[in-house]
Amino acid sequence: QVQLVESGGGLVQAGGSLRLSCAASGNIFKINAMGWYRQAPGKQRELVASITSADITRYRDSVKGRFTISRDNAKNTVYLQMNSLKPEDTALYYCNADIIRGRWAESEIYWGKGTLVTVSS
């Protein structure tokens, strides 16, 4: 089994910062790309940022320059540093990871259960 557990969400005023963490555990051989998604009430889930195993990053336009994604491969953990937060960043934030569980296994996508970020104006 593989689990992804997010942490670091909370309530913050506009202009503030939060750092989200997502730790993967279980039967893991290798982790390929990892990413952060978010879903606001009444809206579809959207990609916020992603990072490959080679540390190539990608961001949605609305968070560029404010959010930074990073990973610690020794800890199987991905982070999302969020600065200059805006009320429109309010959402449930999920992490996902493309994980290979064995040397000859195919990769699978796993999701965490989410952590809530609320930005007040």
Side-chain angles (χ1 to χ4, degrees), residues 23-68:
S25 63
N27 186 18
I28 298 171
F29 176 73
K30 180 183 178 182
I31 301 178
N32 295 322
M34 305 182 82
W36 287 96
Y37 287 71
R38 68 186 181 188
Q39 187 167 18
K43 296 188 176 181
Q44 290 188 331
R45 189 175 299 190
E46 60 185 21
L47 175 66
V48 177
S50 64
I51 183 167
T52 70
S53 57
D55 286 340
I56 297 171
T57 59
R58 181 174 61 151
Y59 299 91
R60 70 179 304 104
D61 287 345
S62 61
V63 307
K64 285 180 181 177
R66 300 189 298 123
F67 291 10
T68 303

Side-chain angles (χ1 to χ4, degrees), residues 96-110:
N96 82 345
D98 184 17
I99 294 174
I100 300 173
R101 295 177 60 188
R103 183 178 181 86
W104 308 111
E106 295 183 357
S107 66
E108 299 176 68
I109 300 296
Y110 292 87

Side-chain angles (χ1 to χ4, degrees), residues 75-87:
K75 296 181 179 179
N76 289 338
T77 299
V78 62
Y79 304 97
L80 186 67
Q81 177 66 44
M82 306 186 294
N83 299 328
S84 302
L85 282 161
K86 304 175 180 180

